[in-house]
Amino acid sequence: MAPQFLTLQQALTHPDQTLTPAQLTLMLTNIGALDPTVRDQTIYSLFAQQFEHQTLSLDQKNRIARHLLQNHDLFASIDGPQSPLVFLRSFTALLTALVLSDDAQTHWLTPELRDHFFNDALTYLPRETDQRGWTVNGWADGVSHGADLLGAAWAHPAFPPDAVMTALHALRTVLLRQTQVFQFDEEPRLAMTLVMAFQAHHLTTDQLKNWLATTDQQLWHGFDFDDLSSVARLHNWLSVLHHLMFLIPANTAIQAQITTLSRHYYQVNGYLPR
């Protein structure tokens, strides 16, 4: 690890210590560092700790928000070819999730900034096409981190009701475009987005039931066992359904819907009689 990051590691051992301006600058400019020891274990961990312990001053929080607003790191080369910039995007997503979760408790963002970050959350997940989880540079995890950001926005008390359909569409987009089986526990992260919205009363039983039925129908449309991408998508879908079954608060109607959709999967695949 480069010497300039050692001061950040030391700060992790003092959770009630205020960051210096230089430390905060170092963290913001290296949020997407390729070294996972710097990116995951030091910078993101320190951001999370500072928000959890409410060590950041209001000025520091606003500085973080302005950096996110002005730098647009969440969408850095997002429409380009696969590149290391996925780390900058995905860890910016996690930092934005921390900002929104903290604002949900302490209400420090301006309405304009809050709406901007809501829009970022609704936009990032469906636009992030880098499907990598674990890489030689550690966790890329664009899907999981995008789901975490969407969940933080959707569960926020000020999340606009008219954005619910956009949030559901974002999740469906991820499931419909996936070309391979998830390998790094992305499915519970996607399911938790729905759980968080449901627990915050920002997603109704009918809305979720309709989304489950429509998404299932679209995933099965044109299904062919010889199309491995289609097989992978349905495998992922079943896993999301099962995680949702156990994670969402007890709801007879939703559990019955998930049971019906799961049974259909097992019937098509020959595990249960039709």
Side-chain angles (χ1 to χ4, degrees):
M1 177 183 290
Q4 67 265 34
F5 297 113
L6 294 179
T7 177
L8 301 181
Q9 279 200 326
Q10 292 166 2
L12 277 168
T13 65
H14 301 283
D16 296 323
Q17 179 177 305
T18 302
L19 295 173
T20 68
Q23 286 175 321
L24 186 54
T25 296
L26 188 62
M27 293 166 67
L28 288 170
T29 54
N30 289 277
I31 188 71
L34 289 185
D35 183 348
T37 305
V38 173
R39 183 186 66 247
D40 297 40
Q41 300 171 29
T42 303
I43 291 177
Y44 173 70
S45 296
L46 187 52
F47 270 128
Q49 180 176 275
Q50 289 277 310
F51 275 109
E52 180 183 359
H53 288 263
Q54 289 297 312
T55 313
L56 293 163
S57 68
L58 180 58
D59 284 345
Q60 288 176 318
K61 291 179 181 181
N62 279 312
R63 184 180 170 195
I64 293 169
R66 288 195 302 271
H67 177 90
L68 294 171
L69 176 68
Q70 295 167 3
N71 286 56
H72 307 291
D73 291 337
L74 189 63
F75 301 101
S77 296
I78 197 168
D79 297 319
Q82 191 177 92
S83 80
L85 285 171
V86 66
F87 297 102
L88 177 59
R89 297 194 300 267
S90 70
F91 279 82
T92 297
L94 287 183
L95 178 56
T96 308
L98 289 175
V99 166
L100 283 172
S101 295
D102 185 71
D103 179 67
Q105 301 299 318
T106 57
H107 315 294
W108 56 272
L109 286 172
T110 65
E112 293 77 18
L113 270 176
R114 189 178 296 122
D115 287 344
H116 176 86
F117 293 139
F118 286 159
N119 186 65
D120 279 354
L122 292 165
T123 307
Y124 172 67
L125 183 60
R127 285 189 63 187
E128 180 59 82
T129 59
D130 193 323
Q131 299 179 5
R132 291 177 294 169
W134 179 258
T135 75
V136 293
N137 296 114
W139 294 106
D141 254 356
V143 171
S144 292
H145 294 181
D148 293 347
L149 173 54
L150 183 58
W154 207 344
H156 193 290
F159 187 78
D162 60 2
V164 169
M165 292 300 108
T166 304
L168 289 170
H169 179 74
L171 285 174
R172 181 181 294 136
T173 297
V174 174
L175 292 164
L176 289 173
R177 71 160 179 237
Q178 191 72 12
T179 58
Q180 56 194 352
V181 172
F182 287 130
Q183 301 179 54
F184 300 105
D185 238 17
E186 292 92 341
E187 302 96 323
R189 303 281 275 274
L190 292 167
M192 275 303 299
T193 303
L194 296 164
V195 174
M196 293 171 69
F198 193 80
Q199 290 176 323
H201 306 291
H202 294 165
L203 180 66
T204 67
T205 296
D206 284 344
Q207 285 173 326
L208 181 52
K209 283 182 61 183
N210 290 337
W211 181 83
L212 289 170
T214 303
T215 303
D216 187 77
Q217 183 180 40
Q218 291 186 21
L219 284 164
W220 280 107
H221 180 73
F223 173 74
D224 187 335
F225 280 109
D226 292 328
D227 179 358
L228 296 184
S229 293
S230 181
V231 172
R233 284 190 287 272
L234 282 158
H235 177 93
N236 293 337
W237 177 232
L238 184 70
S239 182
V240 169
L241 290 174
H242 288 181
H243 284 295
L244 187 60
M245 172 77 91
F246 284 93
L247 292 171
I248 203 160
N251 183 297
T252 303
I254 293 172
Q255 290 175 339
Q257 177 93 347
I258 293 172
T259 299
T260 297
L261 300 179
S262 300
R263 182 179 292 113
H264 175 250
Y265 176 94
Y266 292 128
Q267 288 172 332
V268 173
N269 283 272
Y271 298 115
L272 289 175
R274 289 177 181 267

